[in-house]
Amino acid sequence: MNERAVLREYKMFGLKLSYGVAMTFIVMLLLPGCVSQQKYDALQSRYDQLNRTMSSEINAKEMHIERLQNAIKVTVNDQLLFPSGEWEMPGTAQQTIAKMAPILAPMQETKIIVNGYTDNVPIGPGLMAQGVTSNQELSQKRADTVMQFLITQGVNPNLVAAQGFGEANPVASNDTPQGRAQNRRVELTLAGAGN
């Protein structure tokens, strides 16, 4: 519908609006749709970029990237990030996260949530000696480690948070070694701007 047709429609209903007021009203109606599309496109662009950058990890089944409606979720296998029973990332794990940082760091308007998970195997004596008494604590330390490393790589510290969930929310059965390996993971969720 062109501008004159819009003004005719308003006149038909007895509304006498100036051209500027009518155009402002039209822009206000259309703007939310444009912003949503812009958010969607920006998130889709980051999703595509992450898939390209992390293709070798994805192909090796060390990482999974999922596009959600208003977010992107990156799931990284625990084996890629942490040695068994530890929460410090070795150099190879840092390199993996560092590959994602240039894609994540420019997203200063986007909240990044780092969630840590474990399997249901009880904490062993080695971790107990280090003061880690539960899977929830271990998962929190791992999530914190990833969050702190992202910050060193340029991610805005005000827009990143870490949460450990321990053995909650398993994605596979803990009855097999393969299932437990899937449950030991770190998820990074990138919410769309404004979410």
Side-chain angles (χ1 to χ4, degrees):
M1 181 178 286
N2 68 33
E3 298 159 1
R4 289 177 194 222
V6 170
L7 289 175
R8 275 197 301 271
E9 290 289 321
Y10 283 117
K11 286 180 185 176
M12 282 179 26
F13 291 106
L15 297 172
K16 294 187 178 177
L17 301 173
S18 72
Y19 175 76
V21 171
M23 292 317 317
T24 301
F25 181 69
I26 292 167
V27 168
M28 286 172 40
L29 288 175
L30 297 176
L31 193 56
C34 296
V35 172
S36 294
Q37 186 63 44
Q38 288 172 343
K39 287 180 189 177
Y40 178 86
D41 291 345
L43 218 49
Q44 185 65 38
S45 174
R46 296 295 197 277
Y47 172 76
D48 294 340
Q49 196 174 4
L50 280 167
N51 271 294
R52 283 190 304 273
T53 302
M54 307 310 293
S55 62
S56 61
E57 290 82 358
I58 293 167
N59 291 336
K61 305 229 185 285
E62 297 171 333
M63 180 180 293
H64 175 74
I65 302 174
E66 184 179 356
R67 176 69 166 90
L68 307 173
Q69 182 177 353
N70 292 316
I72 299 169
K73 182 167 72 172
V74 179
T75 303
V76 184
N77 292 2
D78 182 56
Q79 293 171 336
L80 180 64
L81 293 180
F82 303 103
S84 179
E86 294 186 24
W87 62 84
E88 295 299 326
M89 288 192 305
T92 54
Q94 291 179 1
Q95 290 172 357
T96 299
I97 298 298
K99 283 173 61 176
M100 289 190 287
I103 301 167
L104 306 179
M107 300 176 71
Q108 297 301 305
E109 76 282 358
T110 301
K111 183 83 171 178
I112 300 171
I113 302 164
V114 182
N115 293 328
Y117 300 91
T118 65
D119 58 25
N120 68 347
V121 175
I123 295 296
L127 282 172
M128 289 271 198
Q130 296 178 59
V132 177
T133 60
S134 70
N135 279 325
Q136 195 281 326
E137 282 183 68
L138 177 60
S139 66
Q140 183 67 53
K141 286 184 172 290
R142 289 176 171 181
D144 286 340
T145 297
V146 172
M147 177 185 74
Q148 291 303 322
F149 185 75
L150 285 169
I151 291 169
T152 68
Q153 299 299 301
V155 171
N156 184 336
N158 297 318
L159 293 176
V160 63
Q163 178 69 47
F165 290 95
E167 59 196 65
N169 305 317
V171 294
S173 170
N174 278 305
D175 295 335
T176 66
Q178 297 83 6
R180 287 191 296 274
Q182 286 181 279
N183 291 331
R184 295 187 304 264
R185 66 197 189 279
V186 172
E187 294 177 352
L188 288 79
T189 303
L190 293 66
N195 292 327

